[in-house]
Amino acid sequence: MTKAKNVILVGSTSVLAEYFYASCIHQYNFVNICRFNRSKNPIANCIDFDFSAEFNRDLFDDLLSSIRSSLVDSLETVLCLFAWAGTPRSSSDPASRLSIEHNNNIIISNFTFLAKSICPSQIFFLSSAGGLYDGSLNTIHTESSAPLPASPYGIQKLTAESLFASLAHDLSVPICIYRISCAYGLNTRFPDQGVLNKWLFDGLVNGEINIYNDLSSELNFISYDQISVAIEMGIDQDLNGIFNLGSCQSTSLSDIYRSVMELVPSIRSHHIDNSVRFLNIDCTKFEQATGCIFEPLICHDAIKIFTKIRESLMFK
């Protein structure tokens, strides 16, 4: 099958990169870059390089040589950054936080150097809607809404957006930045990641769950599979700009809770915090650019994720 483009995945063992790679493995000529000693499920033909390590010219020259030998000269090359340290709710420990911030600064610097070295036809960066928008107000956020990051994670994502936009401008190439809502799906390395997975996993293992926000909270969710489709569209259509990426409407935690209780009816619930959280985003810009609307499927997907988690526990 003729490949459409070269696609370089920096951080190819992140769960979003793995889903995207698996869904489009026959469509693109992938060049995967990851740090092998941090992966429990290495991707085939992956170049071993740690983007969070301090710049070393000799090692980077070796990386560039490996990348260039893997590219198809006749194809355009898209450069995608999936590597990132920390999560929206990373540790509050100062030393850990400083280490995460330091690692991300190095990732940004190394990725910038790589982009300048290979001159891609498009740059892709996955940002975070939850990290950038105010979650205390029941407001619908558009791409033009003033970001109000409440954590160092969000601040660094916003900084990276600006730096990479300037980089793309200097290179005269389009950049597609997705501000992704709450992503969900089965991550085999971390099966209890995300509110749905956490409740299902804890319900099966412990017979009880902790609830950290009021059930009236409304959040926008999008599945790993839907994100893969969106990345494919962004690459194929050479999207340029910042796009909110999520489902067409938010889902309340009470709806997710009901789905969990139907699957694990005997679990006990402990309300740890009654604060209300919101993440309502307007994805009209993405929908108009691609013609694609993502329906909210998290409750529908609960049984599929429940089955996979239960199967994984049976084979431990």
Side-chain angles (χ1 to χ4, degrees), residues 221-249:
F221 292 92
I222 185 169
S223 72
Y224 297 155
D225 290 324
Q226 290 171 324
I227 294 171
S228 295
V229 171
I231 296 173
E232 180 184 356
M233 289 181 167
I235 290 174
D236 290 347
Q237 299 181 31
D238 296 314
L239 290 189
N240 183 40
I242 296 175
F243 299 86
N244 285 341
L245 186 63
S247 53
C248 60
Q249 66 185 52

Side-chain angles (χ1 to χ4, degrees), residues 242-273:
I242 296 175
F243 299 86
N244 285 341
L245 186 63
S247 53
C248 60
Q249 66 185 52
S250 295
T251 301
S252 69
L253 290 185
S254 61
D255 287 340
I256 298 174
Y257 179 75
R258 280 193 292 270
S259 297
V260 171
M261 291 300 293
E262 289 174 1
L263 295 167
V264 197
S266 60
I267 59 176
R268 299 180 301 277
S269 304
H270 304 286
H271 291 261
I272 308 300
D273 187 356

Side-chain angles (χ1 to χ4, degrees), residues 20 35 53 62 76 85 88 95 125 155 191 243 264 266-267 288 295 306:
F20 172 57
R35 180 180 171 186
D62 290 342
E76 292 182 338
F125 177 56
I155 292 171
F243 299 86
V264 197
S266 60
I267 59 176
Q288 291 178 342
E295 297 294 331
F306 167 78

Side-chain angles (χ1 to χ4, degrees), residues 141-180:
H141 299 282
T142 69
E143 292 82 356
S144 60
S145 299
L148 190 63
S151 68
Y153 175 92
I155 292 171
Q156 280 200 299
K157 284 285 189 180
L158 187 61
T159 299
E161 285 187 8
S162 177
L163 291 173
F164 293 147
S166 296
L167 171 66
H169 178 268
D170 292 343
L171 296 176
S172 299
V173 299
I175 179 168
C176 184
I177 298 173
Y178 282 160
R179 290 179 175 172
I180 300 175

Side-chain angles (χ1 to χ4, degrees), residues 249-313:
Q249 66 185 52
S250 295
T251 301
S252 69
L253 290 185
S254 61
D255 287 340
I256 298 174
Y257 179 75
R258 280 193 292 270
S259 297
V260 171
M261 291 300 293
E262 289 174 1
L263 295 167
V264 197
S266 60
I267 59 176
R268 299 180 301 277
S269 304
H270 304 286
H271 291 261
I272 308 300
D273 187 356
N274 290 323
S275 60
V276 181
R277 183 175 167 224
F278 298 100
L279 179 59
N280 298 314
I281 61 173
D282 184 339
C283 300
T284 302
K285 183 179 177 181
F286 173 81
E287 294 165 2
Q288 291 178 342
T290 63
C292 178
I293 298 175
F294 292 117
E295 297 294 331
L297 299 176
I298 186 167
C299 293
H300 174 271
D301 291 340
I303 187 169
K304 177 173 62 177
I305 295 174
F306 167 78
T307 301
K308 290 182 178 179
I309 291 176
R310 184 175 58 183
E311 289 175 352
S312 69
L313 291 172

Side-chain angles (χ1 to χ4, degrees), residues 5 8 22 47 78 113 121 124 151 169 175 182-183 186 198 206 209 233 240 273 287 292 301 306 316:
K5 295 183 180 182
I8 302 174
I47 300 172
V78 181
F113 187 86
S121 62
F124 234 97
S151 68
H169 178 268
I175 179 168
C182 302
L186 185 67
K198 179 69 173 173
N206 304 317
I209 63 173
M233 289 181 167
N240 183 40
D273 187 356
E287 294 165 2
C292 178
D301 291 340
F306 167 78
K316 280 193 172 183

